[in-house]
Amino acid sequence: MARTLTARVSRHVVDLDLTVDLETTPVTVVFGPSGAGKTTLLRCVAGLDRPEPGSHIALDGEVWDDGARHLPARRRNVGFLFQDHALFPHLDVDANVAYGLHRVPRGERAALTRAALRTAGAEHLSGRPTRHLSGGEAQRVALARAIAPSPRLLLLDEPLAALDAPTRGRLRAELRRLLRDAGIPALVVTHDRAEALALGDLLAVVVAGRLAQLGPVHEVFSRPATPAVAAVVETETVVPGVVTGDDGGLARVRVGDASLLALPGPAAGSAVLVCVRAEEVALETAADQPRGSARNRLPAVVTALAPAGPLLRVDLDAGFPLAAYITRPAREDLGLAPGNRVVAVVKAPAIHLIPRD
């Protein structure tokens, strides 16, 4: 039988229907703003909260909740990694990791504890008092404790949110590898865009208690299905436009004072929202030679520059508001400053159209 999680959850304002193939997408990120219902979904899957009648939760065909039945959390064999680590301060690292192994013969616990610490990249912390651990170290130990009993499913609720920014950045990419090494399918709740991009195979966007879009992570971020999803995934440029016709197999779209080429979508005359991710916009000088016919070359004026992590965000007036990301060396090469004239280059496939009411 294919490994499948089915979660149709109703509870308070949440009414969410999610089905995930855990074989093909081992890490599913449940993404959305605070209060959207992400943690409620996780707690109901874990058995910590009981959903309302009409709900149905099953893993690999085994029903955990269906209104009439409710399988207790202790019998679901689910690992749960909390945002605040939830380690026992009076126990050392090994005792914390072994806490969930009380049903395992005593002689096997030490080996399973060491294996879990090794998988979580925390073997060097063995024997340490938990009160002396840094935030990143505590999170590794908490992950080891979650995977030590070999759960059928791993649930992570904002796993990096309690860490400082440098530690969060270091662990973000490593957590993906750790989850892969553990070999346990996972649901990860987050509202952090970088975390979602780094961790997930599949992205489930939750808005106001409903599943708004489900798909491969980069596809959802690049091609949001609705204006609400575009807002949640923080698409930098979302502006109204009108499809004016066909141009060599591409759609011609009027946006403000500009005319753009995009992949075919809504019919001519349709009102649309034009979505462009800032990382898809390249900046050139007017002297640079055009490359490729499916590239939009838009004369633009720099209106603002602002730090965006290791990059700079450049806000432009290209006949409509447009944002781009560039490196600091690129800014120096182009001599960018507010008021400068540049050419914004966007490939037609990078322009996503959403039908507009």
Side-chain angles (χ1 to χ4, degrees), residues 247 250-252 259-263 279-284 288-299 343-351:
D247 189 334
L250 296 172
R252 177 67 67 178
S259 180
L260 303 177
L261 290 173
L263 290 182
E279 58 261 34
E280 299 287 355
V281 181
L283 300 183
E284 299 178 351
D288 290 322
Q289 293 299 311
R291 293 171 294 169
S293 59
R295 294 172 184 263
N296 295 284
R297 294 178 56 81
L298 306 170
V343 176
V345 183
V346 191
K347 294 180 181 179
I351 297 177

Side-chain angles (χ1 to χ4, degrees), residues 213-231:
Q213 189 170 351
L214 179 68
V217 174
H218 287 278
E219 178 182 305
V220 175
F221 272 95
S222 297
R223 308 189 72 77
T226 67
V229 174

Side-chain angles (χ1 to χ4, degrees), residues 226-293:
T226 67
V229 174
V232 169
V233 302
E234 300 177 25
T235 303
E236 292 83 3
T237 297
V238 181
V239 290
V242 176
V243 179
T244 58
D246 177 85
D247 189 334
L250 296 172
R252 177 67 67 178
V253 187
R254 170 62 60 180
V255 185
D257 295 331
S259 180
L260 303 177
L261 290 173
L263 290 182
S270 298
V272 294
L273 288 176
V274 178
C275 303
V276 187
R277 297 213 67 89
E279 58 261 34
E280 299 287 355
V281 181
L283 300 183
E284 299 178 351
T285 67
D288 290 322
Q289 293 299 311
R291 293 171 294 169
S293 59

Side-chain angles (χ1 to χ4, degrees), residues 87-88 91-101 109-118 122-130 133 141 144-145 148:
L87 297 177
F88 300 110
L91 300 178
D92 69 6
V93 164
D94 298 70
N96 264 280
V97 175
Y99 185 80
L101 301 175
R109 294 178 194 173
L112 290 174
T113 297
R114 285 195 301 272
L117 285 169
R118 185 165 53 251
E123 196 172 16
H124 63 291
L125 301 174
S126 178
R128 294 262 300 272
T130 54
L133 300 177
V141 173
R145 183 179 62 183

Side-chain angles (χ1 to χ4, degrees), residues 66-333:
D66 66 356
R69 288 171 288 182
H70 173 75
L71 190 70
R74 66 181 181 277
R75 293 176 54 196
R76 297 191 184 193
N77 192 18
V78 168
F80 206 120
L81 182 61
F82 295 91
Q83 176 178 325
D84 59 358
H85 320 316
L87 297 177
F88 300 110
H90 63 289
L91 300 178
D92 69 6
V93 164
D94 298 70
N96 264 280
V97 175
Y99 185 80
L101 301 175
H102 55 277
R103 296 182 182 177
V104 175
R106 188 178 299 273
E108 299 176 20
R109 294 178 194 173
L112 290 174
T113 297
R114 285 195 301 272
L117 285 169
R118 185 165 53 251
T119 300
E123 196 172 16
H124 63 291
L125 301 174
S126 178
R128 294 262 300 272
T130 54
R131 63 182 178 276
H132 294 158
L133 300 177
S134 68
E137 290 170 339
Q139 196 68 324
R140 290 175 186 274
V141 173
L143 177 61
R145 183 179 62 183
I147 64 180
S150 298
R152 299 170 66 187
L153 183 66
L154 190 59
L155 305 175
L156 297 85
D157 189 8
E158 301 279 4
L160 305 179
L163 305 178
D164 59 79
T167 303
R168 190 163 61 244
R170 287 196 305 273
L171 278 184
R172 190 181 290 133
E174 191 171 0
L175 181 57
R176 167 73 178 181
R177 180 186 62 77
L178 296 175
L179 292 175
R180 286 286 193 176
D181 289 350
I184 302 167
L187 255 64
V188 182
V189 157
T190 185
H191 66 274
D192 184 276
R193 172 177 156 186
E195 200 169 306
L197 286 165
L199 296 180
D201 299 298
L202 192 72
L203 192 72
V205 179
V206 179
V207 180
R210 306 292 192 274
L211 180 65
Q213 189 170 351
L214 179 68
V217 174
H218 287 278
E219 178 182 305
V220 175
F221 272 95
S222 297
R223 308 189 72 77
T226 67
V229 174
V232 169
V233 302
E234 300 177 25
T235 303
E236 292 83 3
T237 297
V238 181
V239 290
V242 176
V243 179
T244 58
D246 177 85
D247 189 334
L250 296 172
R252 177 67 67 178
V253 187
R254 170 62 60 180
V255 185
D257 295 331
S259 180
L260 303 177
L261 290 173
L263 290 182
S270 298
V272 294
L273 288 176
V274 178
C275 303
V276 187
R277 297 213 67 89
E279 58 261 34
E280 299 287 355
V281 181
L283 300 183
E284 299 178 351
T285 67
D288 290 322
Q289 293 299 311
R291 293 171 294 169
S293 59
R295 294 172 184 263
N296 295 284
R297 294 178 56 81
L298 306 170
V301 176
V302 176
T303 59
L305 294 100
L311 302 174
L312 288 170
R313 173 174 167 141
V314 183
D315 289 320
L316 305 158
D317 180 355
F320 62 93
L322 180 66
Y325 288 136
I326 61 169
T327 63
R328 285 169 172 80
R331 175 193 179 176
E332 294 176 5
D333 291 344

